[in-house]
Amino acid sequence: MTSSQVGKKYDGSEAVGGDAPEEGYERGLGSRQVQMIAIGGAIGVGLFLGAGANIAKAGPSLIFMYAIAGVIIFFIMRALGELLLYRPVSGSFAEYSREFLGPFFGYFTGWTYWLMWVVTGMAELTAAAIYVHYWFPSIPQWVTALVFLVVLFVANLISVKLFGEIEFWFSMVKVTALIGMIIIGLGVLTFGFSAAGDTASVSNLWQFHGIFPHGIGSSLMTLQGVMFAYLAVELVGVTAGESENPEKTLPKAINTLPWRIAIFYIGALTVILCVVKWTEFGAGVSPFVKAFAEIGIPAGAGIVNFVVLTAALSSCNSGMYSTGRMLRNLADSGEAPKAVGKLSASKTPALGITISVAFMAIGVVLNYIVPEKAFGYVTSVATAAGIWTWLMILVSHVLYRRAVRAGRLPASAFPAPGGVVGSWIAIVFLLFVTGLIAYDSESRTCLYVMAGWAVALGVGWAVLKARNPQVAQRREPELENVG
């Protein structure tokens, strides 16, 4: 869609009138940066660290779990892509929830996505401090966490271009490390060099109690951890309002998702499990550190530690970016204080970022007073919030397609293959994963937290409506020119 469609019901003809107003952001994210943000969003700490515990639970079948979840993630991203090319806005999924399900759902989704990134930022700051502690044990962890917080905060305030550049290089480190691991592992399998050469074999995938060593049920229980590893792929949607050419860059970023998942998740895990038998892995140990150690690469543990540090900082950087934009979208809709909707001279939502970073700073304080297990609960809360966000994307897509068929809205230039079939499959899958979370006595705590969060937001919504009844009224969307 390259013509401007402004606020009227669509009757099948070209809309007339002037261009819809821009959101005020600087379109400073180029194709190179959007591509790397998309790639980096699909490679996080959940893969580098979390895969160890999941391998111990599922054995080689974890590869299938990542593949199945990867297909679902592709359905989610194609649904989001269709919506983004219909109307590319920085509020993204919150704005679509508001348009297709009603103002309350936009409010709930926006604040829940904000919560997801704030708690993730807390956990990642602490994780980054722990990784630095590996090299500099004499530096207090809270000092390192504070330094990282301030540096990334300042970078996000300066300009979206600087954010994009930092994220580009963070992603480059992660991608290079994974490709290097795959190439080295294939070399060990093919030529038999290194200390792992004698035991490395493709047969390691089934030789030790089969592909499903603990049964299919145990493998399915890892899906909640697998989905956490995929959190942040939807960040591409938040960049829509600041991409130089969203009509071209966003479809390209989304369409490359299958090969990214195939290489960086399925490919890397397959190679690692061929080089090192699955029984060697366990919770608390990165499978990449273990593989490097088995192969005998000098300073392998240090290399992986640097990569995981990069992944943590990348996640925190993305959190600052996305929370500021989401708060501004909420402010524009009257669902957050108007002040957080203002842009600075550098066209960044400075106050929104500052407020979000202030909450993330609680993570620095928590380094002192909260046990390590509490951060496991934090990441499970992030997973639950992420599942809600994905569900809202899918339901909005289904309702958007219904509106297109009825002739009320224009068709998107980037339709999801198979229409809404993929969205319905993904909805059922996410509800199934939610059931798994409820079944697991440890992870179900996050559902209690989300229930409390829902009550708090419900009270907030009631107060908002009492003060300003218009906030609960549907608004006709302005369809921005993206050509």
Side-chain angles (χ1 to χ4, degrees):
M1 183 181 70
T2 57
S3 61
S4 178
Q5 313 277 352
V6 185
K8 303 285 185 184
K9 289 191 176 181
Y10 186 69
D11 62 2
S13 62
E14 287 291 326
V16 295
D19 287 347
E22 293 269 351
E23 296 178 283
Y25 288 117
E26 176 189 7
R27 289 200 177 272
L29 294 175
S31 177
R32 169 180 65 94
Q33 292 165 326
V34 172
Q35 289 296 318
M36 269 301 176
I37 288 171
I39 292 173
I43 307 171
V45 176
L47 172 64
F48 286 115
L49 283 181
N54 287 327
I55 290 172
K57 291 178 184 176
S61 67
L62 185 64
I63 297 168
F64 293 113
M65 298 303 107
Y66 271 103
I68 293 169
V71 171
I72 299 301
I73 290 296
F74 182 64
F75 288 156
I76 294 170
M77 291 305 293
R78 281 306 302 256
L80 177 58
E82 182 166 351
L83 292 169
L84 287 170
L85 267 291
Y86 147 67
R87 190 161 71 96
V89 287
S90 190
S92 193
F93 12 89
E95 189 62 29
Y96 303 135
S97 300
R98 189 174 291 113
E99 179 180 350
F100 295 107
L101 287 100
F104 174 76
F105 286 92
Y107 159 84
F108 194 99
T109 301
W111 278 111
T112 300
Y113 196 65
W114 178 85
L115 172 73
M116 184 192 98
W117 276 113
V118 165
V119 297
T120 299
M122 289 181 191
E124 301 293 16
L125 277 173
T126 298
I130 292 171
Y131 303 145
V132 171
H133 193 72
Y134 171 85
W135 292 300
F136 304 104
S138 61
I139 300 177
Q141 284 181 201
W142 71 269
V143 172
T144 310
L146 184 60
V147 169
F148 284 142
L149 183 74
V150 171
V151 170
L152 293 177
F153 171 53
V154 172
N156 270 270
L157 289 184
I158 292 174
S159 74
V160 68
K161 286 184 178 180
L162 183 57
F163 157 78
E165 201 61 32
I166 291 173
E167 201 56 33
F168 174 85
W169 290 108
F170 278 160
S171 297
M172 185 66 78
V173 169
K174 294 185 285 186
V175 168
T176 303
L178 282 175
I179 292 176
M181 179 70 244
I182 292 171
I183 292 172
I184 292 169
L186 290 174
V188 171
L189 285 169
T190 305
F191 303 108
F193 62 79
S194 88
D198 294 336
T199 55
S201 171
V202 176
S203 64
N204 284 341
L205 294 177
W206 60 81
Q207 201 167 21
F208 301 95
H209 312 293
I211 295 176
F212 293 87
H214 300 306
I216 294 177
S218 182
S219 299
L220 290 175
M221 290 304 294
T222 64
L223 280 173
Q224 49 188 305
V226 169
M227 296 310 289
F228 172 73
Y230 283 125
L231 282 184
V233 293
E234 75 290 329
L235 186 64
V236 171
V238 184
T239 70
E242 293 170 276
S243 300
E244 286 180 354
N245 192 347
E247 197 176 38
K248 293 181 180 178
T249 57
L250 295 178
K252 186 176 180 182
I254 291 169
N255 278 336
T256 55
L257 188 65
W259 69 257
R260 282 186 268 129
I261 290 173
I263 294 174
F264 299 131
Y265 278 89
I266 300 168
L269 281 175
T270 301
V271 169
I272 284 175
L273 291 175
C274 288
V275 172
V276 184
K277 56 186 180 181
W278 72 268
T279 53
E280 299 287 327
F281 298 100
V285 178
S286 167
F288 294 88
V289 171
K290 182 70 177 176
F292 272 60
E294 288 285 329
I295 294 171
I297 297 175
I303 293 171
V304 174
N305 195 68
F306 174 70
V307 174
V308 177
L309 169 64
T310 301
L313 293 178
S314 172
S315 180
C316 192
N317 189 43
S318 296
M320 290 182 189
Y321 171 84
S322 58
T323 50
R325 273 68 186 173
M326 200 56 72
L327 280 182
R328 184 176 185 235
N329 177 262
L330 288 164
D332 287 346
S333 301
E335 298 158 359
K338 287 184 178 180
V340 299
K342 294 180 180 178
L343 292 180
S344 67
S346 58
K347 295 188 177 181
T348 61
L351 183 58
I353 294 172
T354 303
I355 292 171
S356 302
V357 168
F359 278 93
M360 289 182 191
I362 296 172
V364 178
V365 179
L366 293 180
N367 265 321
Y368 272 133
I369 59 175
V370 177
E372 189 175 330
K373 193 172 183 180
F375 282 92
Y377 293 141
V378 164
T379 55
S380 68
V381 170
T383 305
I387 287 175
W388 172 268
T389 300
W390 291 335
L391 281 171
M392 289 301 97
I393 291 170
L394 294 165
V395 173
S396 296
H397 177 247
V398 170
L399 294 176
Y400 164 70
R401 271 300 184 99
R402 189 176 297 171
V404 171
R405 286 197 301 272
R408 296 193 303 270
L409 290 174
S412 171
F414 187 49
V420 297
V421 174
S423 290
W424 278 115
I425 292 172
I427 288 170
V428 172
F429 179 85
L430 291 178
L431 293 177
F432 174 68
V433 172
T434 304
L436 293 177
I437 293 173
Y439 179 77
D440 188 341
S441 59
E442 286 191 11
S443 63
R444 75 166 69 111
T445 304
C446 73
L447 298 182
Y448 301 143
V449 173
M450 289 304 296
W453 175 251
V455 170
L457 286 182
V459 171
W461 182 250
V463 172
L464 275 176
K465 283 203 302 180
R467 289 183 176 179
N468 180 16
Q470 289 185 337
V471 77
Q473 295 176 3
R474 285 180 180 263
R475 296 178 305 166
E476 289 288 349
E478 291 181 330
L479 307 187
E480 183 184 320
N481 181 4
V482 296

